[in-house]
Amino acid sequence: MVTDSMSSMFEPLTGRERQILALIAEGLSDQEISARLHLAVSTVKTYNRQIYQKFGVKNRRQAVARAKSLGWLENPESTKIPPHNLPTQLTPFVGRIGELEALSRWLVDANNRLLTVTAPGGMGKTRLVLDAAQSALALFPDGVFFVPLAQVDKPDDVIEAVVSYAGVPRMQDGRLPFQQACAFFANKHVLLVLDNFEHVLDAGGMLTALLQAAPKLKALVTSRERLDLTAETVFPINGLHYPSAKAERDLREYGAVELFVQSALHADPRFIVSEREIAAICRLAQGMPLAIELAAAWVSSMSLTEIIGEIERSADFLSTELRDVPDRLRSIRAVFETTWAHLSEQERRTFAALSVFRGGFTSDAAKHVAGAAPRDINALVGKALLWKDPETGRLSIHELLRQYAADALDRAGETARVRDAHRTYFAAYTETWTTALRTDEINALAHLHAEYDNIAVAFENAIVVATPEALLPFTDIWNYYTIRGLLYEGARVLDAAIAAIDGPDSLALGKLLGARSELAMYLGQNSREDETATRCLNMIKRLGARDVLPFAHAIYGNGVLRDDPARRYVNHVEGYNIADELGDDWGMCVHAYLAGWSLLDMHRPNDARPWFDTSHAKALRINSRWALAHTYFALAGLEFELGNYSAARSMYQESLLASERLNYAMRMVWAYIGISNCAMMTGNIESARHYAIEGLRVAQYTGAPYENTVTHMRVAECCCDLGEIARAIDYLRQSAAYPVDRDQTKSERMGIGASILLRAGLYHESLLLLSCITEWSGYDTLFKMDTLRIEANLRALSERLGGAALERARAEVAGKSIDDMHAMMYALLERGRAGEPPAVVATG
């Protein structure tokens, strides 16, 4: 045993870490340690890293040298195994490194005597405490004893089980078993592992008395509910870590995935790992070990896709016929029904009502929707049916248990009533916080993000109700969709909501049409944008809803008038004046911004400046970071138009900073593009490509078609300027993979294609594309940087081919549309890819 003088030096190392360190010193490989301790190899490697970090070393050799210098490995007592009856595990332990660390710290703390690990059935409580106890053997020289209580019927029989499993000598001296146990444990360093205590809770008093009689005794308990004892420390656990749908790290690093693979290989040694489908199964199981193991057992007869489908249809699919699995763990339903049987009627009613929530909930929501009093919530937390997040205080139910609770709510005939209460509560919540998005975004976004799953369910239920009154509170959620980049999801829900009440004019329908137009703009759906924007403005005017007119005019200008900056300017001035009459600072901020852009699109930067200054001042006044992200971007565009690239870059960076504070991905993309454009115009092409790629990364996260199109085009442009013809062509091709059908976008793409062809030495072909673009009626609406490049390329080609070449090219493309030349461009680009580029021609 480690001496007292040395123990403090080893306190940072857990029992499992000390055990692994000893095996490292014996020269065992990670694979051999894995087999010896029944751990996954990845888990052994995690422990290795922790040992290195705590010892301040970099490798195995240094760790062993440090342990030897402290004398730990030379102490023969350190390898002595105390008496124990811990069952041998047949499979490696997976995951739970954090939980094992926490249990190890508790086990070495002399001030803590009783710890209860709580969780619903099937969550892996028993396996966790057994592994923790195995790791802590050296801390209990008088023994570690596992006492299974699943088959114990009465609280009075608990002490008999303890006496039996711990090997307490039976003395024929008239003393009761409890008295004999007290005498036996009186001066012994012993750990009792009491498993499945939930059905013998009345034995808690006996356990307290035993701990009082034996001051060196510790008890590590598993239970589906806390014991409610004074000395008790409650340690709730949840499922194994599982990957989210957007997880980026190696999926094998997740305990849930590792457990599925391990279990599947037991079921079928020929099993082929497919991480994407396994991750989906682990998400459906929310990391519950039993559910994962039950799902994996089917791989011998079903594909992973079929298993996913079966779980989605019904969690009753998760069951097993294995002979050595206890009845209470043979299915998820058996787990739930065992727990349900131990609830009071009030607890059942409350838990069933709480099943209407998704993604967690607050105690306030539980009170108003489910009628759950604090006492009810506390009881369900104590029974491990509710999980309380220690950081946020939010409550949640494991999804598989929630499904069974929902079934119970249906059987009680209460689903419709509770669902209506849920919809009413979250309708008011949504209206409050979407309104706050205009002035208190950080706080509002946090609230909307926390309850987004509940808002989505409430919105869907309002669509089922299908009345304007039910849907009106949800009509401003579009702004959350755009800030968070939830474009496709938002479009789907808004389409369903519009279809539900499409008919007579209503404020709800008008606002929903405007919201759908906004998303159509981001999704590149021009025809849908125009149709919904027109209907929105006309309906709001007919209704006389003057307070909504600024919104309707903003939508109409962005959509129907996007290619007519002169009419767009008049529209936004009208919107600004209406907002001014209403005292609507937010509306004035938006329309001043849009009026300025209309003037900038007409290349009137000096006229645009007062509008942008006004918009910026309003944004500061209402303290809207959303508005500031836009106004800084507008001011940057103004400076860019004037050729002040350093000032423009500073403003783009301010826009990026404001956008990052909100995690406003759409605006972040454009800020990156702006910074990239400034770098390009000052000749720093490598920097320009870096920022364009950053913008592309964010655009791909959102999936927004237009933003993905533009960022791919900008990267292609940078690659072209760097002479990387093949990469430039690939990026330009990828830019056309998104459903954006604007002639302006096609013209910009053709301008970049012309630069690539020029670089590749296809001068005449480049000139054909440029001629088509300059003859297009909307040429003046192109961004300044695009027109500068086009004109520089035209000058370079005129110098090389002669002035008459341009006229011949214009004659050759006469009658051809943008679509015709756009389609032709790709064949020309492939010719450029195949050829050897000649000497580089300056492109400005």
Side-chain angles (χ1 to χ4, degrees):
M1 182 181 302
V2 179
T3 64
D4 291 340
S5 62
M6 295 164 61
S7 62
S8 61
M9 306 183 79
F10 293 109
E11 189 171 349
L13 291 185
T14 65
R16 178 65 85 188
E17 289 166 348
R18 291 195 295 271
Q19 193 175 27
I20 288 175
L21 181 59
L23 295 175
I24 290 174
E26 291 180 24
L28 272 65
S29 67
D30 289 343
Q31 289 75 14
E32 290 168 331
I33 294 173
S34 168
R36 176 82 64 89
L37 300 181
H38 302 292
L39 297 174
V41 174
S42 61
T43 303
V44 174
K45 291 180 177 178
T46 298
Y47 278 120
N48 290 348
R49 289 193 296 269
Q50 291 172 179
I51 293 168
Y52 301 161
Q53 182 179 6
K54 291 178 179 181
F55 269 4
V57 298
K58 296 181 179 180
N59 53 45
R60 286 168 154 250
R61 180 182 56 77
Q62 292 175 352
V64 172
R66 176 63 56 84
K68 286 181 177 178
S69 70
L70 297 170
W72 186 79
L73 295 175
E74 298 170 4
N75 188 340
E77 291 295 316
S78 65
T79 58
K80 181 180 178 181
I81 299 177
H84 71 88
N85 69 337
L86 298 177
T88 299
Q89 300 302 318
L90 302 179
T91 58
F93 184 78
V94 170
R96 304 278 196 203
I97 298 298
E99 289 93 331
L100 282 174
E101 285 275 343
L103 289 179
S104 295
R105 288 192 295 271
W106 180 85
L107 288 166
V108 299
D109 187 346
N111 294 318
N112 290 316
R113 306 279 308 287
L114 169 62
L115 184 139
T116 306
V117 176
T118 61
M123 215 46 100
K125 300 182 296 294
T126 301
R127 185 61 193 270
L128 173 63
V129 298
L130 285 173
D131 199 78
Q134 182 74 44
S135 299
L137 284 172
L139 298 174
F140 300 95
D142 297 311
V144 175
F145 302 107
F146 177 65
V147 184
L149 300 174
Q151 303 304 317
V152 174
D153 297 325
K154 298 179 295 183
D156 289 345
D157 292 337
V158 171
I159 192 63
E160 285 288 350
V162 170
V163 167
S164 175
Y165 282 99
V168 176
R170 301 281 185 162
M171 306 298 293
Q172 302 301 320
D173 56 4
R175 286 184 295 175
L176 297 174
F178 174 74
Q179 295 170 319
Q180 294 185 29
C182 288
F184 179 75
F185 293 125
N187 294 303
K188 288 184 171 62
H189 287 277
V190 168
L191 174 66
L192 291 179
V193 181
L194 303 168
D195 191 38
N196 291 305
F197 209 96
E198 62 272 357
H199 62 291
V200 287
L201 292 176
D202 288 343
M206 175 278 300
L207 182 56
T208 296
L210 184 60
L211 291 170
Q212 289 172 334
K216 297 179 182 179
L217 178 69
K218 282 199 174 205
L220 181 56
V221 179
T222 72
S223 177
R224 296 190 185 188
E225 60 182 289
R226 61 193 173 207
L227 311 190
D228 284 330
L229 300 176
T230 303
E232 180 184 29
T233 298
V234 179
F235 187 76
I237 64 168
N238 214 329
L240 292 166
H241 288 301
Y242 58 91
S244 68
K246 294 185 176 181
E248 296 181 354
R249 75 182 203 226
D250 184 356
L251 296 185
R252 291 289 193 104
E253 294 181 15
Y254 292 91
V257 173
E258 191 174 2
L259 177 61
F260 185 94
V261 173
Q262 174 183 291
S263 303
L265 289 171
H266 277 290
D268 182 0
R270 301 165 300 172
F271 172 69
I272 299 174
V273 173
S274 178
E275 292 184 348
R276 184 175 64 85
E277 286 83 3
I278 293 173
I281 292 171
C282 292
R283 284 193 293 274
L284 289 171
Q286 287 195 341
M288 179 186 279
L290 177 62
I292 291 170
E293 291 171 336
L294 293 174
W298 288 95
V299 299
S300 61
S301 58
M302 300 179 71
S303 71
L304 293 178
T305 301
E306 289 171 331
I307 292 171
I308 291 171
E310 291 293 339
I311 298 173
E312 288 176 336
R313 277 186 284 277
S314 174
D316 283 340
F317 168 74
L318 297 172
S319 61
T320 184
E321 298 299 324
L322 292 175
R323 295 185 180 88
D324 57 349
V325 176
D327 290 343
R328 59 191 172 83
L329 297 178
R330 282 185 173 271
S331 69
I332 296 299
R333 178 169 291 278
V335 168
F336 181 77
E337 289 177 345
T338 301
T339 299
W340 188 257
H342 287 84
L343 301 181
S344 68
E345 280 303 315
Q346 177 61 28
E347 289 167 346
R348 290 177 184 175
R349 284 194 298 271
T350 301
F351 189 55
L354 293 173
S355 68
V356 298
F357 290 105
R358 300 292 191 280
F361 51 91
T362 64
S363 56
D364 182 72
K367 174 184 175 182
H368 286 89
V369 173
R375 184 184 298 275
D376 301 324
I377 295 294
N378 191 55
L380 292 171
V381 170
K383 294 179 185 296
L385 290 173
L386 296 183
W387 173 269
K388 184 174 182 179
D389 188 307
E391 295 183 2
T392 66
R394 287 178 61 79
L395 300 153
S396 61
I397 307 172
H398 190 281
E399 174 58 21
L400 297 178
L401 297 182
R402 190 203 63 76
Q403 291 177 22
Y404 284 107
D407 288 344
L409 192 67
D410 274 343
R411 291 195 300 272
E414 289 287 289
T415 299
R417 180 187 66 79
V418 181
R419 186 179 292 159
D420 284 346
H422 180 274
R423 174 178 54 78
T424 301
Y425 179 88
F426 283 104
Y429 184 97
T430 303
E431 189 170 36
T432 296
W433 290 110
T434 52
T435 301
L437 269 177
R438 295 185 172 190
T439 55
D440 186 20
E441 299 107 325
I442 300 296
N443 195 24
L445 285 170
H447 279 83
L448 292 168
H449 181 69
E451 296 292 3
Y452 180 71
D453 289 339
N454 283 308
I455 291 170
V457 169
F459 197 174
E460 295 281 3
N461 287 334
I463 292 170
V464 173
V465 174
T467 65
E469 295 75 19
L471 286 165
L472 184 60
F474 298 96
T475 51
D476 286 331
I477 192 67
W478 64 269
N479 204 12
Y480 179 79
Y481 292 144
T482 59
I483 291 174
R484 285 290 179 257
L486 302 171
L487 305 179
Y488 291 99
E489 181 177 349
R492 177 190 63 78
V493 178
L494 290 174
D495 282 343
I498 290 168
I501 60 170
D502 206 354
D505 288 356
S506 67
L507 184 58
L509 179 57
K511 293 182 70 177
L512 287 169
L513 289 166
R516 185 60 179 87
S517 179
E518 181 74 6
L519 293 188
M521 177 185 69
Y522 285 114
L523 292 170
Q525 300 167 339
N526 287 359
S527 59
R528 186 65 196 276
E529 183 182 3
D530 294 352
E531 179 257 334
T532 50
T534 302
R535 288 189 65 193
C536 168
L537 180 60
N538 292 338
M539 190 175 296
I540 296 303
K541 285 182 175 179
R542 288 195 299 269
L543 290 169
R546 195 163 178 79
D547 60 324
V548 186
L549 268 177
F551 166 71
H553 274 285
I555 295 298
Y556 188 78
N558 277 340
V560 178
L561 305 178
R562 63 183 164 274
D563 294 329
D564 190 341
R567 288 180 61 205
R568 185 167 17 115
Y569 173 70
V570 173
N571 170 79
H572 291 308
V573 171
E574 183 180 356
Y576 180 88
N577 290 334
I578 295 171
D580 190 14
E581 292 173 14
L582 295 168
D584 178 3
D585 283 330
W586 194 80
M588 285 188 280
C589 177
V590 169
H591 280 288
Y593 165 81
L594 294 172
W597 268 116
S598 301
L599 292 167
L600 198 60
D601 284 345
M602 291 187 279
H603 305 291
R604 295 166 55 186
N606 293 329
D607 293 331
R609 188 181 292 279
W611 286 105
F612 287 155
D613 287 342
T614 297
S615 181
H616 189 65
K618 293 292 183 184
L620 290 170
R621 177 176 175 179
I622 62 179
N623 192 32
S624 169
R625 290 177 177 83
W626 179 90
L628 285 172
H630 285 268
T631 59
Y632 278 124
F633 185 82
L635 290 167
L638 177 66
E639 297 296 345
F640 191 97
E641 179 79 12
L642 293 170
N644 301 325
Y645 302 123
S646 177
R649 180 187 175 103
S650 295
M651 290 294 102
Y652 282 130
Q653 287 174 326
E654 290 291 345
S655 177
L656 179 61
L657 183 62
S659 302
E660 287 175 336
R661 288 290 306 278
L662 298 177
N663 194 22
Y664 186 5
M666 308 296 290
R667 187 50 47 183
M668 287 167 62
V669 172
W670 288 104
Y672 277 124
I673 291 172
I675 296 170
S676 173
N677 290 344
C678 290
M680 183 175 289
M681 294 303 293
T682 54
N684 193 342
I685 309 303
E686 284 287 4
S687 178
R689 178 162 64 178
H690 166 77
Y691 286 106
I693 289 174
E694 284 297 297
L696 174 58
R697 177 181 58 81
V698 181
Q700 289 176 323
Y701 169 80
T702 68
Y706 187 55
E707 282 66 20
N708 272 282
T709 296
V710 173
T711 48
H712 273 97
M713 285 163 52
R714 287 298 176 244
V715 177
E717 197 169 11
C718 293
C719 290
C720 172
D721 283 0
L722 291 168
E724 300 174 7
I725 300 300
R727 292 188 69 188
I729 293 171
D730 288 340
Y731 275 107
L732 197 65
R733 275 190 172 280
Q734 291 170 41
S735 77
Y738 300 88
V740 177
D741 57 0
R742 300 172 181 171
D743 283 348
Q744 181 180 9
T745 306
K746 293 174 184 176
S747 297
E748 291 170 355
R749 186 180 292 117
M750 285 165 58
I752 299 169
S755 292
I756 296 171
L757 292 173
L758 192 156
R759 286 269 182 179
L762 299 178
Y763 307 123
H764 177 67
E765 291 81 356
S766 176
L767 192 57
L768 290 176
L769 293 181
L770 294 173
S771 299
C772 181
I773 299 168
T774 54
E775 292 298 300
W776 174 52
S777 60
Y779 177 69
D780 288 341
T781 65
L782 295 181
F783 187 47
K784 178 184 177 181
M785 191 177 76
D786 295 306
T787 58
L788 287 174
R789 176 176 288 270
I790 289 168
E791 290 160 9
N793 285 343
L794 281 172
R795 288 194 299 271
L797 287 167
S798 294
E799 292 174 6
R800 175 171 286 275
L801 301 177
L806 179 58
E807 292 305 318
R808 290 196 298 271
R810 284 176 175 165
E812 192 172 338
V813 300
K816 293 187 182 294
S817 67
I818 290 289
D819 283 339
D820 293 336
M821 294 303 295
H822 188 262
M824 182 189 299
M825 175 181 67
Y826 294 106
L828 298 176
L829 287 172
E830 290 309 308
R831 287 173 57 189
R833 186 199 299 270
E836 287 292 329
V840 173
V841 179
T843 58

